[in-house]
Each structure stands twice: as C-alpha cells, then as structure tokens.
Amino acid sequence: MVISNVWMGHGSALFLELGALSEGQIRRDGSVGSPQGEITVMVDFDWRIEKLRSILGGSHDTKKRCLFISKKLMNATITSAKLTGRLPELELQLSNGFWVVTFSHYAGQPSWVVFFKALGLGWLAVKNGKLHIGNS
C-alpha cells in the first residue's frame, strides 16, 4: 500500500497512513483530524528516517524539521517491514530509498503500533517485551 498521508501527532509522534484515505475523526474542539488510511503506523517518541548511508533526521529535530523530513515519505510504499532487537523495534524500508526506524531510550516498552483498521484485524504492538495483537 502507498503511504497516502503523513502527519505529526502530540510531541514527536509520527503517523503513516497507508492505502485509501477516509475522513478524519472529529476532535474535541470540533475540528476534523487528519485523514486516516486503511492501515496506520504510529511511531511514538523516538524514530529516525535513514538514507542508505546516513540519517536524514528524526524525532529529536525541531517540529518544523520533523514535518519537512516526514513529508519525504509520501507516496512511497513499504517494501520490507521487520522487527529488530531483543525488545522488538520496527524497521520499515521504503520504495523511495528511505527507512523509518524506531528506537526507545525511555524506560518501558518500544513505542510503536500498527493499526489494521480497514481489515478489521485490530493492532500490533509490543507488550511485556513481546509482540502483542489486540482487537479493540
């Protein structure tokens, strides 16, 4: 599926919306949120976007820089998705020569989630150091 929308959430959270977009949800203030894809990849706190031999940028850059580099992911497709490390971190290889990589330096668990909304398959995340599938 193509990355149809990229947006920044609270703090440094990065959202990749895959596939056909539907209207965003209504926020508490009455405004409409970002359009949502059939699948959503949310990477929270710590992430970076890599090129073949260098880091383009990531979650610790300024908000303006994060928005700039995240837009480079638009219209690419995920060619490979894998988990790395003893505590599973997410690594997405994209068709445009970039990688999206999560990492966490905070106590707790890796902080990423894949929501399979349109497929009705729930979500995939890390809980207690292992992959966890949820359906709510």
Side-chain angles (χ1 to χ4, degrees), residues 31 41 64:
S31 64
V41 178
K64 184 177 179 180

Side-chain angles (χ1 to χ4, degrees), residues 38 40 113-124 133-136:
E38 298 170 75
T40 299
V113 183
V114 179
F115 298 97
F116 300 95
K117 296 179 292 253
L119 303 174
L121 298 175
W123 48 268
L124 178 68
I133 298 171
N135 57 10
S136 59

